[in-house]
Amino acid sequence: MQDQGAAMPYPQYGYPPPNAQSHQDPSMYMAGPPAGMYNPAAQAPMSPPGYYPQQGMPFMPMGGAGDQTNFMPAQFLQNPVMANMAMQYGQSLVGQGKEALDRELNKYVATSRIKYYFSVDTAYVAKKLALLLFPFTHRDWSVKYNPDEPVQPRYELNAPDLYIPAMAFVTYLLIGGVSLGIQERFSPEGLGIQASTALVWAIIEVMAIWVTLYIMNIQTKLTSFDIVAFSSYKYVGMIVAVIASFIMPSAYHLALIYVSAATMFFLIRSLKVQILPESSHDSYGEQNTSFTGEGSKRRTYLLLFMGGLQPLMMWWLTRQIARP
């Protein structure tokens, strides 16, 4: 036992002597903890520089094997409320885009007007094709007229339509491909050139008619769709001429002469009641007193120009695909 009354020795602290050698290694302060010891700093992934979590938000480590951000899209889609909201938002965007497109399209093309030209049925198509190929026996070329809207083509044989021209154009391209195949000259590039050539010449023809109307200062009830329809009926005759060359190569020219005459006769008689009325009432039943003198001559020239242009275009567009 130590004497209670004796003073306990206290450690003496002081600076080491200047020349004393230190037994401690300075690198011990720079090294990390010994191997095997738990180190929290090594377990947590490093955050990018300048990243500080906001107050009230849990800290989420960036990257690493346990990154939960990779599952956020899947969790978002699995939530039925959020999925329905996203679907409704997408449908609203599609609806707004469709309305904007229809609004811009109606500024230049009336949708109801286009539907009118495609309002046909099987009986009308059969009768119209017979009229195009055999127009010489037809008598009544007038067009019935409704004050609110022109009568639909299926109710009036003499009314222009766009269904037959569109189908005839596609059939012309197909028949041309068959003809080139029979002649062993078919190629996809050649069929594309045929389609683009026919389309370009159709546009040139319509533009030529419009320029003629403007230069001659002729006012008619013909619309752009009417001109496209009447100028595209020639594809029916072109198909007949090319098919005739399949049966007998020498029959091509005979068939072309006949269908050219039929198409020209049909076009002149159909346009005559709209461009050059013979009485004081035009084809729509309205009073007409201005088609006399110089105006009548200009309209006659326009009628002959449109009619005479058809045989030339029919020969030009079939001369390369008809079987020689």
Side-chain angles (χ1 to χ4, degrees):
M1 296 293 292
Q2 186 178 1
D3 188 6
Q4 298 293 333
M8 296 181 64
Y10 291 94
Q12 298 297 324
Y13 297 97
Y15 294 98
N19 297 328
Q21 296 182 356
S22 176
H23 298 283
Q24 298 180 352
D25 186 6
S27 62
M28 63 180 295
Y29 298 102
M30 303 300 295
M37 181 178 294
Y38 174 71
N39 185 8
Q43 300 295 330
M46 297 298 293
S47 299
Y51 173 77
Y52 301 96
Q54 298 181 1
Q55 184 177 3
M57 295 182 60
F59 173 75
M60 298 181 64
M62 304 298 293
D67 188 2
Q68 298 180 356
T69 58
N70 296 332
F71 300 94
M72 289 301 294
Q75 295 176 0
F76 176 81
L77 295 177
Q78 290 176 359
N79 190 341
V81 178
M82 301 301 295
N84 291 334
M85 292 178 59
M87 185 178 297
Q88 294 177 2
Y89 181 70
Q91 291 177 354
S92 64
L93 288 179
V94 173
Q96 293 176 1
K98 184 177 180 300
E99 292 178 358
L101 181 62
D102 293 340
R103 183 170 57 254
E104 294 297 328
L105 185 61
N106 287 331
K107 293 180 180 179
Y108 306 98
V109 179
T111 307
S112 60
R113 193 69 179 175
I114 296 179
K115 293 180 180 179
Y116 156 76
Y117 285 96
F118 286 92
S119 179
V120 299
D121 54 12
T122 306
Y124 168 82
V125 172
K127 293 179 181 179
K128 195 59 172 281
L129 291 176
L131 179 61
L132 290 171
L133 297 177
F134 308 100
F136 307 103
T137 59
H138 193 63
R139 293 291 178 265
D140 186 12
W141 294 90
S142 60
V143 180
K144 299 181 179 64
Y145 178 73
N146 186 347
D148 298 330
E149 188 180 47
V151 66
Q152 297 180 5
R154 60 181 175 179
Y155 300 127
E156 175 54 51
L157 182 61
N158 297 321
D161 71 281
L162 289 175
Y163 176 81
I164 292 179
M167 295 297 102
F169 181 81
V170 175
T171 306
Y172 158 75
L173 298 179
L174 297 177
I175 293 296
V178 173
S179 178
L180 294 176
I182 293 175
Q183 304 173 45
E184 298 181 355
R185 295 191 296 121
F186 176 80
S187 65
E189 294 80 7
L191 191 62
I193 294 174
Q194 176 190 350
S196 59
T197 301
L199 184 60
V200 168
W201 279 110
I203 296 175
I204 292 176
E205 181 181 2
V206 174
M207 293 300 297
I209 294 174
W210 269 112
V211 170
T212 305
L213 287 171
Y214 177 78
I215 293 177
M216 293 186 175
N217 193 20
I218 297 176
Q219 302 294 330
T220 66
K221 293 183 178 296
L222 292 175
T223 63
S224 302
F225 296 118
D226 293 336
I227 296 177
V228 172
F230 282 117
S231 62
S232 300
Y233 281 128
K234 61 177 175 290
Y235 292 108
V236 176
M238 294 163 57
I239 295 171
V240 173
V242 175
I243 293 178
S245 67
F246 296 168
I247 302 173
M248 184 182 301
S250 59
Y252 163 72
H253 296 90
L254 296 177
L256 182 62
I257 292 173
Y258 174 79
V259 295
S260 298
T263 302
M264 184 170 58
F265 182 85
F266 165 81
L267 190 64
I268 291 177
R269 291 304 304 267
S270 298
L271 293 177
K272 183 179 180 181
V273 296
Q274 301 189 41
I275 296 179
L276 189 63
E278 297 179 355
S279 61
S280 58
H281 291 78
D282 60 13
S283 61
Y284 298 103
E286 297 182 356
Q287 187 71 24
N288 194 344
T289 58
S290 59
F291 300 142
T292 58
E294 293 297 329
S296 179
K297 290 182 179 180
R298 292 197 303 268
R299 293 171 186 274
T300 302
Y301 295 151
L302 174 64
L303 193 61
L304 295 176
F305 170 74
M306 295 178 65
L309 193 61
Q310 303 308 307
L312 181 61
M313 295 293 296
M314 295 172 69
W315 168 77
W316 182 261
L317 294 176
T318 58
R319 62 188 180 89
Q320 295 292 339
I321 62 176
R323 186 179 178 183

